[in-house]
Amino acid sequence: MEIAGVIIGLLLGSYLLGALPFGYWVGRWRGVNLFTVGSGNIGATNAGRVLGWPYGLLVFVLDCAKGAIPPLVVVSLYQAGLNQAVEPLMASLLQVGAAASAFLGHLYPVYLNFRGGKGIATGAGTVLVLAPLAAAGALCVWGMTVLVSRYVSVASLLAAVTLLTIHLSLAPEPWSSSQWPLNLYLLFGVILVFVKHRKNLLRLWQGQENRLGDWPMRHVLLRVFHLVAVGMWFGGAFFFNFLAAPAIFRSFEEVVRSAPSDRTAYMPLVPPEAPEEQKKALASALAGSAVGPIFPLYFALQMGCAALALLTALSWWNGGGIHRWRVIVIGIAAAGVLIGWPLSEYVSELRLARFSDDPLTAQAAQSAFGVWHGYSLFLSLITTVLAGVCLILAAWLPYETSKSKFDVFDSMKNQ
């Protein structure tokens, strides 16, 4: 009974905290009713647009804090002794329940007759505690989308989808007993964010959605981020495909041939009389085991660079000519990364299957490995070359700072 009272009090307190309408109060403090100006929303975006960016930042921080505090309180209570009274699943449900209560409080605050904001800042506060890595990725997507498009609504929707996608991708067992409460919270949170942005979606469709104003530093940042993205993309691909991977495979061939040696702790790897073919197969397997764990990180970096390069390049699409070719080349190279990622994983599976205890499986894998490995190498080569072309094209980046003629989103709005 005592635990039940703590749980009820915690959920109710989380809702009441999340329902605190900081945006409305800050607006009233400045003599403005945010419900009647701008987009009519009491969130940080409208507060910044109407009152100025310092007040918008203040509202964002306050709304974010009221989302982060409830799950942090649950963690503190659990560590202080609640873990002795509840099961891990119940603890997960309680933490997610506190976050969801704060989130719903912001969306439907009792203090304002259940008329609240859209939940982006408060939701961000909850996920920064519950899923920090996914939240960091979503925050990056939000920032880059705002920088490129100046549509906060589009950035918020993309960030919500990114958050769920990254979290499900990183979780080894996303629907295990300890994970499903958080997954359901993120899923329903994304749905609610889209529901609360339905008017924004309609205005986007009609070309009437509000945007942030342009500023000179934005164009500088676009060029900086684009250069960093294509530079890391080409540099990482070139280093891995032409320097690191070949060196690793050559090194393991030498290790197998010279074993036992100091590099094998003077342990024999194969019998001295083993045929050369067997030694090559062992060297390939060992090199594959060393390179295999790098592939997820390598392709994640490549995909991140490709997405950043493509997003920034879209800002210059309306410049025509080389600016459109830049987008096309980046798009083709990004498609190569998307195809190459699962292909490399399949090749890694075939590499291991060649040594299966089942002769038929080993023979089939041996036959298929050479073909698919060749496809993988060829695709990596093409992608690296295209990334190099993207880097070369960066020499012709536009230097417009006061006009928006390069911005594809401006032309979309005017159509």
Side-chain angles (χ1 to χ4, degrees), residues 165-212:
T165 302
I166 293 178
H167 176 72
L168 293 178
S169 300
L170 292 178
E173 297 180 3
W175 298 106
S176 63
S177 60
S178 61
Q179 289 289 327
W180 68 261
L182 176 56
N183 294 337
L184 287 181
Y185 168 67
L186 296 179
L187 176 60
F188 284 113
V190 170
I191 293 173
L192 280 174
V193 166
F194 272 82
V195 170
K196 295 293 285 188
H197 281 81
R198 59 189 183 278
K199 292 182 180 179
N200 300 83
L201 290 171
L202 179 60
R203 289 196 294 267
L204 282 167
W205 179 261
Q206 296 172 344
Q208 300 174 355
E209 176 67 336
N210 295 319
R211 302 173 72 186
L212 296 178

Side-chain angles (χ1 to χ4, degrees), residues 94-149:
L94 187 56
Q95 189 177 19
V96 171
S101 297
F103 182 61
L104 290 173
H106 179 81
L107 296 179
Y108 308 103
V110 65
Y111 311 112
L112 297 176
N113 295 321
F114 305 101
R115 184 184 179 187
K118 297 177 180 177
I120 297 301
T122 303
T126 65
V127 298
L128 281 170
V129 177
L130 299 175
L133 290 178
L139 185 61
C140 291
V141 170
W142 183 90
M144 284 308 307
T145 306
V146 168
L147 183 66
V148 172
S149 71

Side-chain angles (χ1 to χ4, degrees), residues 354-411:
R354 292 181 304 165
F355 305 100
S356 172
D357 295 334
D358 182 5
L360 293 178
T361 300
Q363 183 178 3
Q366 183 69 38
S367 301
F369 175 77
V371 176
W372 288 107
H373 187 234
Y375 289 154
S376 179
L377 290 177
F378 179 74
L379 186 59
S380 295
L381 173 63
I382 295 299
T383 304
T384 304
V385 170
L386 289 176
V389 173
C390 296
L391 183 59
I392 294 173
L393 291 175
W396 289 273
L397 291 180
Y399 285 89
E400 297 277 337
T401 58
S402 60
K403 299 179 182 179
S404 58
K405 71 175 186 178
F406 286 99
D407 196 338
V408 65
F409 294 97
D410 278 324
S411 66

Side-chain angles (χ1 to χ4, degrees), residues 28-42:
R28 282 303 193 185
W29 172 39
R30 301 299 299 168
V32 176
N33 183 355
L34 289 180
F35 280 128
T36 62
V37 293
S39 64
N41 186 262
I42 61 171

